[in-house]
Amino acid sequence: MKAHLTQLLATAAKSIAPDLNADSILLDRPKSAEHGDFSTNLAMILAKSLKQNPRAIATQIIAALPTNDYITKTEIAGAGFINFFLSAQSRQMVVRDIFTAGTRYGCNTQGHDAQGKPQKVQVEFVSANPTGPLHVGHGRGAAVGDCLARLLDASGWNVTREFYYNDAGAQIDNLTISVLARCKGISTEHESFPENGYRGEYINDIAAAYLTKHTVVADDIEVTASGDINNIESIRSFAVAYLRHEQDLDLKAFQIEFDVFSLESALYSEGKVEKTVNALVASGHTYELDDALWLKTTDFGDDKDRVMRKTDGGYTYFVPDVAYHAEKWNRGFVRVINEQGADHHSTITRVRAGLQALDVGIPAGWPDYVLHQMVTVMRGGEEVKLSKRAGSYVTLRDLIEEVGVDATRYFLAARRADSQLVFDIDLARTQTNDNPVFYIQYAHARICSVLSQWAALGNGTTVPLVSADLSPLTNAHEVALMQRLSEYPETVENAATELAPHVIANYLKELASDLHSYYNEYKFLIDDEAVKIARLSLISATQQVLKNGLDLLGVAAKERM
RNA sequence: GCCCCCGUAGCUCAGUGGAUAGAGCAUCCCCCUCCUAAGGGGAGGGUCACACGUUCGAUUCGUGUCGGGGGCACCA
């Protein structure tokens, strides 16, 4: 419908301002129903170049609109807005559109290339170090990243979900000596416990499992502990495998699946780090100073150069990162989105600088980043800071166990990633309209209930809702609901473009609100067969859109509460 | 000191170069002989942190100030 109107408007505008770029024609959804179904500020935009009063231009545009069946009324309002009022029939078309598209309603082809083929995009998210259980911050990354992947999938992209394990480097050394200390029975308070060691109870669990020669399986590896406390390598590989397994369980509990797990250690063992370093040296963007190798990241906008190879011979963390991203490019991802905590934002400039230095045709702004801010967990009006297992933070699994997967996912994805988030456990647990997850799921369940009751007592009626005569749908609630349903595809498109899953969460709240209002005002299972079928058709379409939207968030569309 | 995010109702948060800045909670009032009241309707509540610019028009864009958070390692 929007496309139809834009077309009409373009035709009219061309006759008045031939030079006008058609892309600059924008149709808005007015906030108030008094302002019609659509409005445009086109006349005001043209005022300057045409040197005329916006309202006068608006009059001309309206006069030049081709005749059509969609618009029943136009008006000029305010400083020069043109408001369009749709015919009842035009408004009702969305219901049939939804039935036709079904689960695909709201999908688009933004991600297709010129040949109409889905392009490859990778979403890398969570990517926690295997040094402890996943915490709420990882949960936010998981919820946002997974929704982004779903949004991109709905937008015609060929999506790969990827988790990168930093299973090499200093933090793993730290983990290893922490476990070693526990194997030796050193308490976390004792002075000989590693100063920056990990102190959560899970370290104790790992040590105990190691000493009793347990076997752990994670993703594609299986490691059996030697139980030998003098074998540092054995402790290291066992501890990493143990925590990867733990994180797998965390992800499973959160219903997040990945297509690919990449290991930092593999980049070393396969020589890709070395290869990248050689390429960077060959590029001329490096230099030796004070027994270290530096990358001139200042050539690419950084405020100081960065060390690549430390005086001890090891590489700094961003070198494997650059190697990893060069690999992503080689794997054919035209687009990569890294979902990370904002505390790692300083890596962005370095990784991009490294990729530019390689000079292999990678675009300057590649890859994209979505950064999320911190999460504060509240219970009973007080901040929850500790978990028994992890010691220093709230684990994702604790949260899921307490409030459930649906609420956890919803709450963590329902806020803009770049603002700090307060997770209110009490709110997430309530089962009233205070809780948006419940409110939305309830709207869906109510529709299911009505439809099943109709099916149960509807002997004789064989009129399929799909082909119902929709002309009875004319009251204010029905108009509002149909309008909202017709906004869904734009909403999905916008959320994908902005990489903003919270847009979907907000939309669903409003759609649910429209449904509840309608439900409260009108009955559906009534004697008037024509009106009944039309209304059931509308709520059935609403049910579909609620389900489609909830699917994008990874939240269940329950049939019963 | 420098860099990045944020600052909107008492609280948690949406929104946006345009028409009267929205929602939920909280407070107050109202609605079940009726498909789930796990719901709905209404009232009150705002200097969109502040200042100055750009613009026909700024809460939105720019600069600065002040708050809050995060980052400034040869850690990741």
Side-chain angles (χ1 to χ4, degrees):
Chain A
M1 186 53 55
K2 194 177 178 182
H4 289 307
L5 291 186
T6 305
Q7 191 57 46
L8 294 175
L9 199 52
T11 307
K14 284 278 180 197
S15 69
I16 293 160
D19 300 336
L20 182 72
N21 176 1
D23 293 340
S24 63
I25 297 176
L26 294 177
L27 272 175
D28 291 323
R29 305 273 190 173
K31 285 174 219 154
S32 158
E34 292 167 32
H35 296 136
D37 298 274
F38 289 95
S39 77
T40 183
N41 62 355
L42 184 60
M44 290 183 275
I45 301 285
L46 290 172
K48 199 163 209 176
S49 59
L50 295 181
K51 293 182 177 148
Q52 288 182 53
N53 178 323
R55 293 185 71 104
I57 297 170
T59 308
Q60 296 169 49
I61 292 173
I62 290 171
L65 278 177
T67 51
N68 64 85
D69 295 332
Y70 307 123
I71 302 170
T72 52
K73 188 175 110 184
T74 56
E75 66 178 22
I76 301 169
F81 292 100
I82 304 172
N83 296 335
F84 299 94
F85 294 79
L86 297 181
S87 66
Q89 205 185 355
S90 302
R91 287 172 177 155
Q92 292 152 1
M93 280 165 62
V94 65
V95 175
R96 195 128 321 140
D97 291 346
I98 292 165
F99 286 127
T100 305
T103 57
R104 304 280 308 160
Y105 181 70
C107 293
N108 63 74
T109 56
Q110 279 181 333
H112 289 187
D113 63 15
Q115 282 73 48
K117 235 184 88 197
Q119 302 179 89
K120 285 180 71 175
V121 62
Q122 180 202 63
V123 182
E124 184 206 319
F125 59 114
V126 186
S127 296
N129 291 342
T131 54
L134 299 183
H135 55 66
V136 202
H138 295 126
R140 189 175 192 183
V144 171
D146 190 55
C147 292
L148 285 174
R150 289 164 189 257
L151 275 169
L152 291 167
D153 182 64
S155 298
W157 291 87
N158 173 2
V159 183
T160 297
R161 290 169 166 81
E162 190 147 327
F163 187 126
Y164 177 63
Y165 275 111
N166 289 109
D167 63 340
Q171 295 306 322
I172 301 301
D173 294 340
N174 198 3
L175 170 71
T176 309
I177 57 172
S178 301
V179 173
L180 174 62
R182 286 303 225 158
C183 285
K184 289 176 176 169
I186 301 171
S187 94
T188 53
E189 284 85 40
H190 196 274
E191 59 181 18
S192 60
F193 194 84
E195 195 181 351
N196 297 314
Y198 294 97
R199 289 180 158 75
E201 277 185 22
Y202 65 93
I203 296 292
N204 230 0
D205 299 341
I206 301 172
Y210 181 77
L211 293 173
T212 51
K213 304 183 183 179
H214 273 228
T215 297
V216 288
V217 178
D219 192 33
D220 56 345
I221 54 164
E222 180 177 315
V223 175
T224 299
S226 69
D228 177 0
I229 64 168
N230 294 313
N231 189 338
I232 293 295
E233 266 320 301
S234 177
I235 294 175
R236 174 196 300 267
S237 59
F238 180 74
V240 167
Y242 185 100
L243 286 171
R244 281 186 58 191
H245 175 67
E246 282 294 309
Q247 293 186 353
D248 284 350
L249 295 178
D250 293 341
L251 293 169
K252 194 171 174 195
F254 207 33
Q255 297 170 12
I256 304 275
E257 290 185 11
F258 285 89
D259 302 302
V260 178
F261 288 90
S262 281
L263 270 56
E264 181 184 8
S265 57
L267 293 168
Y268 283 101
S269 63
E270 290 165 13
K272 287 177 178 148
V273 174
E274 206 59 46
K275 197 178 133 197
T276 299
V277 170
N278 293 339
L280 287 171
V281 170
S283 78
H285 291 287
T286 63
Y287 58 91
E288 300 260 0
L289 179 71
D290 300 334
D291 292 328
L293 179 67
W294 296 69
L295 181 66
K296 276 192 263 182
T297 53
T298 50
D299 288 351
F300 306 99
D302 203 353
D303 50 11
K304 57 175 274 200
D305 292 338
R306 306 290 168 176
V307 168
M308 291 171 59
R309 190 171 56 227
K310 301 179 276 186
T311 43
D312 69 4
Y315 293 114
T316 55
Y317 71 91
F318 86 92
V319 175
D321 257 13
V322 172
Y324 177 42
H325 281 85
E327 270 302 290
K328 292 187 183 184
W329 179 257
N330 291 336
R331 286 161 62 194
F333 294 109
V334 296
R335 194 171 177 205
V336 164
I337 294 156
N338 293 328
E339 207 291 347
Q340 307 181 341
D343 54 343
H344 287 184
H345 83 259
S346 58
T347 64
I348 298 174
T349 312
R350 293 173 213 183
V351 168
R352 285 183 180 155
L355 294 171
Q356 289 309 297
L358 288 174
D359 194 22
V360 290
I362 298 174
W366 193 96
D368 285 336
Y369 283 84
V370 172
L371 303 178
H372 64 260
Q373 297 286 330
M374 294 191 59
V375 180
T376 311
V377 179
M378 304 287 286
R379 186 200 286 115
E382 293 194 359
E383 184 173 352
V384 185
K385 285 204 148 146
L386 304 178
S387 119
K388 290 180 202 86
R389 245 178 344 136
S392 58
Y393 54 78
V394 182
T395 68
L396 178 59
R397 234 187 294 172
D398 289 345
L399 204 55
I400 295 169
E401 279 164 18
E402 187 160 358
V403 306
V405 179
D406 286 341
T408 305
R409 287 187 75 129
Y410 184 92
F411 275 69
L412 290 175
R415 300 282 182 244
R416 295 178 45 179
D418 57 11
S419 61
Q420 293 164 43
L421 184 150
V422 176
F423 193 114
D424 183 340
I425 288 184
D426 304 313
L427 178 60
R429 291 180 59 132
T430 60
Q431 309 206 339
T432 66
N433 66 346
D434 304 5
N435 181 344
V437 190
F438 232 83
Y439 186 74
I440 297 164
Q441 289 180 320
Y442 182 38
H444 184 267
R446 270 186 151 172
I447 297 171
C448 292
S449 171
V450 172
L451 292 176
S452 68
Q453 284 175 59
W454 172 63
L457 52 83
N459 48 349
T461 295
T462 53
V463 183
L465 299 182
V466 188
S467 55
D469 171 17
L470 302 167
S471 58
L473 301 176
T474 52
N475 70 51
H477 283 96
E478 290 161 348
V479 169
L481 191 49
M482 290 186 289
Q483 170 114 1
R484 185 81 65 194
L485 293 173
S486 72
E487 288 170 21
Y488 182 69
E490 298 158 35
T491 304
V492 173
E493 201 171 319
N494 181 245
T497 306
E498 302 290 319
L499 301 175
H502 75 278
V503 168
I504 300 298
N506 289 327
Y507 171 85
L508 288 173
K509 240 173 16 182
E510 290 177 341
L511 178 57
S513 171
D514 291 335
L515 187 278
H516 286 306
S517 293
Y518 183 36
Y519 183 96
N520 216 257
E521 187 80 19
Y522 293 95
K523 273 187 71 71
F524 308 128
L525 300 176
I526 52 177
D527 293 337
D528 185 325
E529 190 69 13
V531 174
K532 176 173 78 181
I533 295 300
R535 288 181 180 171
L536 291 175
S537 181
L538 174 57
I539 63 168
S540 175
T542 305
Q543 175 192 40
Q544 180 74 62
V545 176
L546 283 168
K547 183 172 187 336
N548 291 2
L550 285 169
D551 279 350
L552 285 177
L553 296 176
V555 175
K558 297 186 178 176
E559 302 198 353
R560 201 164 289 138
M561 302 303 289

